[in-house]
Amino acid sequence: MKELILLKSGEMALKGLNRSYFEDTLIRNCRRRLESLGKFHIYKSQSTIYVEPQSEEIDLDEAVDRLGRVFGIAALTRAAIVDKDFNDIKAKAPGYLAAWLDTANTFKVEAKRSDKTFPMKSPELCLELGAVLLDAFPHLTVNVHEPDVTVYVEIREKAAYLHVDQMRGAGGLPVGTSGSATLLISGGIDSPVAGYMMAKRGLQIMAVHFVSPPYTSEHALEKVKTLCKKLTPYCGHIRLAVVPFTEIQVAIRDQCPEDVFTVIMRRCMMKLAERVAADNECGALITGESVAQVASQTISAIACTDVACRMPVLRPVIGMDKDEIVKIAYKIDTFETSILPYEDCCTVFTPRHPKTKPKLAYVEEAESKLDSEALMQRAYEKIEYFVIG
Ligand code: ATP
Ligand code: MG
């Protein structure tokens, strides 16, 4: 039987005149995500997006799985395409719905008729199709309040569609509709989750990662690439900038007081990330910081790093507990990669007693010992770019 996937867009419905832009972006994102599976005809009509495979061989389960991770989709369902003729509906419904109805005890039928020229009205359609299904599956009874399965028959513009309950989509807004932002990605648990959360709000994500060879290994960089790859089902392809950070860290270690090493290092990160962001037309930075998780994430420390750059810094996990962040990391399948034990540059030369309440004046004074402009310029010139996904 010919099938397709029906998508309901979410929050976009609220966006008035921009709606078309949101829907067109969503369609483009769906196309890209399905590209490697085969040819699909994807189009919108009356607030539904239709995803029609153009060959029988296409793996629709995989397509549903991929579309389930595309932001901007509130709900989705596989459906059978039948003629707008009750005889065809009647003939095909039992066969198509057997997979769900064989194991159910109760069901109901819901009909939607957006094509008002169809001769049967919705209540009549429900009754007639209900009777056909009761005949075909004698073990079933009707329960209109709490059915095990709800069967939908939708009479639309081009055809009629049969399906069961819809699946919840990934929600959020289509990636790209809110602009672009640069994610500071470490190999840790928090930053990939932060990237996922902001992509959900419609931001196209690019990433920047700082490496300190030989203190950090090639494995650590590979791990970050793997994390980016794991984000691509949600974010689309990710451009990754890798910034060599060893010289800066060594200079801070040698020339600045130990107790503000981390804060100064993080200020340098923010400044370099801001340059990368500007080069790549991003309007904001994203970090995985969470208040008081570590010494560099107290309010005083964040205050010192926040003023190092002028771009807005988005910190979507700022108020979350570790276990809440971990839950999302499991959901998006980054957790197992994040806990691989490779050293991040943030843990290289960590001071024994970091200041938990650094004062900006003290930090700036300490930082002035450093020729930070020249150091950062050298690092900037050695940035390497990769495209992941
Ligand atoms: P994460 O789990 O994301 O590593 P964390 O709790 O370990 O976070 P830190 O190591 O202090 O905290 O880092 C705070 C934030 O700084 C990270 O969430 C990330 O956004 C950024 N960051 C840390 N290390 C790097 C790095 N090597 N490259 C790019 N960004 C980094
Ligand atoms: Mg970390």
Side-chain angles (χ1 to χ4, degrees):
M1 181 147 345
K2 249 187 120 180
E3 283 184 283
L4 87 174
I5 303 167
L6 300 172
L7 310 178
K8 285 261 177 316
S9 49
E11 211 178 319
M12 288 184 286
L14 304 172
K15 303 283 176 190
L17 289 175
N18 280 335
R19 180 165 179 160
S20 208
Y21 164 67
F22 280 80
E23 284 178 342
D24 292 346
T25 309
L26 176 57
I27 288 175
R28 221 173 21 249
N29 292 349
C30 291
R31 270 201 193 107
R32 273 203 210 110
R33 243 47 87 68
L34 296 179
E35 214 163 40
S36 60
L37 268 188
K39 248 185 139 35
F40 288 84
H41 179 39
I42 307 181
Y43 57 95
K44 65 178 171 182
S45 171
Q46 294 174 331
S47 76
T48 297
I49 293 171
Y50 296 73
V51 180
E52 281 186 28
Q54 299 296 288
S55 107
E56 305 264 309
E57 272 89 75
I58 287 179
D59 181 350
L60 264 204
D61 285 332
E62 172 67 19
V64 168
D65 196 58
R66 290 191 190 183
L67 293 171
R69 290 160 215 256
V70 173
F71 292 129
I73 298 171
L76 67 161
T77 183
R78 256 176 105 128
I81 308 172
V82 290
D83 292 343
K84 282 201 282 187
D85 165 359
F86 190 69
N87 284 325
D88 197 45
I89 298 173
K90 198 163 86 174
K92 290 181 176 154
Y96 182 65
L97 297 167
W100 296 278
L101 294 180
D102 275 343
T103 53
N105 292 315
T106 60
F107 82 110
K108 75 169 173 180
V109 179
E110 281 206 8
K112 265 195 215 143
R113 194 180 58 124
S114 50
D115 173 3
K116 301 292 178 204
T117 65
F118 190 76
M120 292 164 86
K121 295 215 167 100
S122 298
E124 189 187 352
L125 249 176
C126 290
L127 271 178
E128 296 288 331
L129 183 57
V132 168
L133 295 174
L134 280 171
D135 244 9
F137 302 93
H139 70 282
L140 285 180
T141 52
V142 172
N143 179 342
V144 291
H145 301 295
E146 275 190 2
D148 294 338
V149 173
T150 303
V151 170
Y152 294 84
V153 52
E154 303 194 31
I155 314 292
R156 290 172 176 260
E157 204 179 1
K158 284 195 179 172
Y161 304 94
L162 281 168
H163 62 90
V164 296
D165 305 82
Q166 313 187 53
M167 224 176 91
R168 258 176 79 163
L173 297 168
V175 163
T177 56
S178 302
S180 307
T182 297
L183 169 69
L184 284 87
I185 190 165
S186 68
I189 297 168
D190 307 329
S191 41
V193 169
Y196 159 84
M197 288 175 76
M198 293 324 301
K200 186 168 183 179
R201 296 308 304 159
L203 281 165
Q204 174 78 52
I205 303 295
M206 79 149 301
V208 57
H209 177 63
F210 296 87
V211 290
S212 287
Y215 305 102
T216 61
S217 68
E218 198 54 38
H219 294 301
L221 176 57
E222 280 311 310
K223 173 181 170 181
V224 166
K225 288 184 184 168
T226 306
L227 287 171
C228 287
K229 180 94 190 148
K230 292 202 172 228
L231 288 177
T232 58
Y234 302 95
C235 305
H237 73 275
I238 293 179
R239 211 165 132 75
L240 170 68
V242 177
V243 186
F245 209 46
T246 320
E247 195 192 357
I248 295 178
Q249 287 193 288
V250 168
I252 302 172
R253 181 197 61 186
D254 293 345
Q255 295 163 37
C256 303
E258 188 185 336
D259 57 359
V260 283
F261 169 87
T262 309
V263 178
I264 294 175
M265 178 191 77
R266 298 197 53 77
R267 282 165 59 87
C268 292
M269 277 186 170
M270 301 311 271
K271 286 180 195 161
L272 276 163
E274 185 177 37
R275 265 184 94 171
V276 170
D279 288 347
N280 289 278
E281 279 144 32
C282 293
L285 302 179
I286 303 167
T287 74
E289 287 163 300
S290 160
V291 164
Q293 207 186 72
V294 286
S296 61
Q297 295 175 26
T298 62
I299 292 297
S300 314
I302 290 176
C304 292
T305 46
D306 206 49
V307 291
C309 68
R310 303 182 74 139
M311 261 189 200
V313 180
L314 310 176
R315 299 177 171 94
V317 305
I318 195 75
M320 290 168 75
D321 291 345
K322 197 75 185 186
D323 57 343
E324 292 172 308
I325 301 172
V326 164
K327 223 181 249 164
I328 300 179
Y330 267 118
K331 184 174 111 179
I332 63 174
D333 192 33
T334 52
F335 184 78
E336 296 297 334
T337 307
S338 289
I339 59 171
L340 293 173
Y342 305 123
E343 189 136 50
D344 180 52
C345 73
C346 273
T347 49
V348 174
F349 314 140
T350 345
R352 278 153 301 179
H353 303 292
K355 262 202 192 319
T356 53
K357 291 189 178 164
K359 294 265 186 308
L360 184 59
Y362 177 77
V363 172
E364 283 177 340
E365 163 66 22
E367 200 178 272
S368 68
K369 311 249 179 336
L370 217 59
D371 189 1
S372 55
E373 286 307 318
L375 282 163
M376 283 194 290
Q377 180 61 28
R378 277 202 292 282
Y380 176 77
E381 282 164 10
K382 290 188 203 129
I383 291 174
E384 262 192 281
Y385 278 97
F386 301 86
V387 176
I388 316 278

